[in-house]
Amino acid sequence: MGKGLVYLIGAGPGDPGLLTVKAREVLETADVLIYDYLANADFLNYAKAGAEVIYVGKKGGDHTLPQDKINELIVAKAGEGKIIARLKGGDPYVFGRGGEEAEELVEAGIDFEVIPGITAGVAAPAYAGIPVTHRDFTTSVCFITGHEDPTKEKTGHNWEVYAKSTSTLVFYMGVKNLPMIAENLISNGRDPETPVALVRWGTRCNQESFVSTLENVAEEAENRKFKAPSIIVVGGVCSLHDKLGWFEKRPLLNKGVVVTRAREQASGLVSTLGRLGACVYEFPTISITPLEDYSAVRKEIKALSGWDWLIFTSVNGVKHFFNQLDETGLDARAFAGLEIAAIGPATADALVAKGIKPDFVPEKYVAEGVVSGLLERGIKGKKVLIPRAKVAREVLPEELRKAGADVTVLPVYETGLADNDPGPVADALKAGKIHYLTFTSSSTVENFFNLIEPETFHKYKDAVKIACIGPVTTRTLEKFGFEPDIQPDDYTIPALVDVLVQEAAE
């Protein structure tokens, strides 16, 4: 068996958007993914199906595996002829011990490549409004470990040089030693009034920071209960923190939000909440799967000319219907002569992306509003086809039939209870990290309480606000004994996000 290839990958400081394109490409193809405590667990979603994922995290001296055992593990897996993605927080060669791992690989005769990552010493201050260099303050920066190798007989620090330097000083892993760092700098001549900043969990949704002085920073950090992982920045550039700070102004910063939508539908909501600073807990309660047999769907697609109206109720309905349209060898020209309705702006956007501009998008996305609008457009006596989930609420087709339409429901996909581990969300609830629970359909409510018992959630209800997208979802929630705290006037995802932001500001 040939020897494998190891990629030493910098995962960046934590913001998923700061992972490099090259790093993601390797994660998507690697056979084995070995990752650290500071590497964002979201990156595991990029791993290919069947990849072996191994956690070797090191957290403040608490090592899942000591470094020598990590080295042995990497060598052993590569020796099996596998492609290894060794994912390390920040940059592998900046206080990441990547150099040591590379030396082990060289000695073992194993090929490797290094994919640099954005180091926390630059990124965390930047997200806190602190440029590590600025021509009004300094033209150089010095990166320093705040936690030296305890086996070294002699320190590698020259405190006199640090103290007299005009460089910005950036200390990694130094919170425990902050009193010693401050004392050494002051005793060697650094002005006690020098601005000092601490940035904890830099670039992540739970980032926090503050600025003090060299003389007072250790005491203030203790009072604020600042712990690792934190970056310490010493120098005049810290005075720009309040002026240039941008990340911590995000309206949902450090707000835990549970998203219960199916994974296929959740990406837009998750990314929007993330941009607003929220700590998003993806907890898809619905699984979406194709039908086993699409013969009935293809039959109706070939006979589209026999219908008057085509009503799409979801993005998934559009996706799976158009998949079969393509399989049948047809395209958007097959819709000639039909009138098409889209329930909701997201569904309308999905149709536009397929080259179809809907003839009707109701102002209110409930059955009554849809039927009223369609009646105005002469739906009575018309043949109506509704591509949708195999099992769904019957309100819309029933109301259309009452209005005199000839309605056929065409299943194009199936939904079910997601196979999801409720543990992480339950743990976050217990730890007080969840602030909002969002429901975007009746199914998400029903499935959520199938995965987490209502009695279990009730214990945390006073600390968690429930957001429902509309009255139908609210009525389902009430069946489980809960009332929503938030419901937008417009029953859309953007409106739901808007009211979350408004509520968080109060």
Side-chain angles (χ1 to χ4, degrees), residues 215-283:
E215 185 176 35
N216 298 321
V217 67
E219 181 180 358
E220 189 164 351
E222 184 177 357
N223 292 338
R224 291 174 178 262
K225 295 181 170 59
F226 252 61
K227 299 178 181 179
S230 294
I231 289 290
I232 303 166
V233 187
V234 180
V237 290
C238 297
S239 63
L240 296 171
H241 171 272
D242 293 345
K243 181 179 181 180
L244 301 183
W246 57 276
F247 186 72
E248 291 172 49
K249 294 178 181 178
R250 293 187 172 191
L252 295 179
L253 187 75
N254 210 15
K255 299 295 184 182
V257 183
V258 178
V259 173
T260 57
R261 301 192 89 192
R263 197 174 299 279
E264 294 85 349
Q265 297 173 299
S267 59
L269 177 56
V270 168
S271 61
T272 298
L273 292 170
R275 285 194 298 271
L276 293 169
C279 298
V280 182
Y281 293 81
E282 285 194 73
F283 187 59

Side-chain angles (χ1 to χ4, degrees), residues 399-426:
E399 291 297 319
L400 287 172
R401 291 184 184 114
K402 289 178 184 177
D406 180 7
V407 180
T408 296
V409 170
L410 180 66
V412 294
Y413 64 96
E414 293 190 77
T415 60
L417 179 65
D419 182 15
N420 208 344
D421 177 12
V425 168

Side-chain angles (χ1 to χ4, degrees), residues 309 311 339-341 343 359-380 396 399-400 403:
W309 275 90
I311 301 178
E339 293 193 85
I340 298 176
I343 311 306
D359 300 284
F360 172 61
V361 181
E363 293 183 4
K364 294 289 184 180
Y365 314 116
V366 292
E368 295 79 7
V370 176
V371 173
S372 175
L374 289 172
L375 278 172
E376 294 176 5
R377 287 160 176 78
I379 196 75
K380 186 176 181 180
L396 179 58
E399 291 297 319
L400 287 172

Side-chain angles (χ1 to χ4, degrees), residues 13 16 22 127 139 168 177 227 270 282 286 298 312 331-332 339 373 415 424 434 437 455 477:
K22 185 172 183 179
Y127 272 51
T139 56
T168 300
N177 294 325
K227 299 178 181 179
V270 168
E282 285 194 73
I286 300 173
R298 292 170 185 167
F312 289 96
D331 58 25
E339 293 193 85
T415 60
I434 303 297
L437 172 61
E455 293 78 12
L477 178 68

Side-chain angles (χ1 to χ4, degrees), residues 174-238:
V175 173
K176 285 185 178 180
N177 294 325
L178 184 55
M180 177 271 290
I181 291 171
E183 180 183 347
N184 277 321
L185 290 174
I186 292 172
S187 64
N188 280 279
R190 197 68 175 242
D191 185 350
E193 294 299 314
T194 301
V196 181
L198 261 67
V199 187
R200 186 168 189 245
W201 287 118
T203 80
R204 302 196 185 206
C205 64
N206 53 342
Q207 174 181 306
E208 55 182 329
S209 63
F210 73 92
V211 175
S212 183
T213 62
L214 195 56
E215 185 176 35
N216 298 321
V217 67
E219 181 180 358
E220 189 164 351
E222 184 177 357
N223 292 338
R224 291 174 178 262
K225 295 181 170 59
F226 252 61
K227 299 178 181 179
S230 294
I231 289 290
I232 303 166
V233 187
V234 180
V237 290
C238 297

Side-chain angles (χ1 to χ4, degrees), residues 10-281:
D15 183 342
L18 298 181
L19 185 73
T20 65
V21 174
K22 185 172 183 179
R24 177 171 176 170
E25 290 173 350
V26 171
L27 293 178
E28 292 171 339
T29 58
D31 302 309
V32 181
L33 197 164
I34 301 172
Y35 72 105
D36 276 350
Y37 170 66
L38 290 178
N40 195 318
D42 288 348
F43 299 148
L44 305 186
N45 295 329
Y46 298 138
K48 70 179 182 181
E52 184 178 6
V53 178
I54 305 171
Y55 174 64
V56 294
K58 295 182 290 182
K59 177 182 177 183
D62 179 15
H63 294 193
T64 300
L65 276 184
Q67 186 63 51
D68 60 334
K69 296 298 182 183
I70 294 174
N71 297 343
E72 291 176 10
L73 174 66
I74 297 169
V75 170
K77 291 296 179 181
E80 297 173 7
K82 295 178 179 179
I83 304 299
I84 314 297
R86 171 66 174 114
L87 194 62
K88 303 172 73 67
D91 180 274
Y93 279 6
V94 181
F95 304 123
R97 304 190 72 172
E100 297 170 45
E101 294 177 5
E103 287 181 299
E104 291 285 337
L105 293 170
V106 169
E107 289 181 14
I110 294 171
D111 292 334
F112 72 94
E113 294 184 18
V114 178
I115 301 178
I118 299 174
T119 184
V122 172
Y127 272 51
I130 301 169
V132 291
T133 64
H134 188 291
R135 61 169 51 187
D136 290 342
F137 297 95
T138 181
T139 56
S140 58
V141 58
C142 180
F143 297 120
I144 309 164
T145 179
H147 179 74
E148 287 191 279
D149 183 348
T151 65
K152 290 170 62 175
E153 295 183 3
K154 187 177 180 181
T155 180
H157 290 312
N158 189 327
W159 291 105
E160 184 178 0
V161 171
Y162 296 158
K164 295 179 179 178
S165 172
T166 58
S167 299
T168 300
L169 306 180
V170 180
F171 290 88
Y172 292 64
M173 304 169 289
V175 173
K176 285 185 178 180
N177 294 325
L178 184 55
M180 177 271 290
I181 291 171
E183 180 183 347
N184 277 321
L185 290 174
I186 292 172
S187 64
N188 280 279
R190 197 68 175 242
D191 185 350
E193 294 299 314
T194 301
V196 181
L198 261 67
V199 187
R200 186 168 189 245
W201 287 118
T203 80
R204 302 196 185 206
C205 64
N206 53 342
Q207 174 181 306
E208 55 182 329
S209 63
F210 73 92
V211 175
S212 183
T213 62
L214 195 56
E215 185 176 35
N216 298 321
V217 67
E219 181 180 358
E220 189 164 351
E222 184 177 357
N223 292 338
R224 291 174 178 262
K225 295 181 170 59
F226 252 61
K227 299 178 181 179
S230 294
I231 289 290
I232 303 166
V233 187
V234 180
V237 290
C238 297
S239 63
L240 296 171
H241 171 272
D242 293 345
K243 181 179 181 180
L244 301 183
W246 57 276
F247 186 72
E248 291 172 49
K249 294 178 181 178
R250 293 187 172 191
L252 295 179
L253 187 75
N254 210 15
K255 299 295 184 182
V257 183
V258 178
V259 173
T260 57
R261 301 192 89 192
R263 197 174 299 279
E264 294 85 349
Q265 297 173 299
S267 59
L269 177 56
V270 168
S271 61
T272 298
L273 292 170
R275 285 194 298 271
L276 293 169
C279 298
V280 182
Y281 293 81

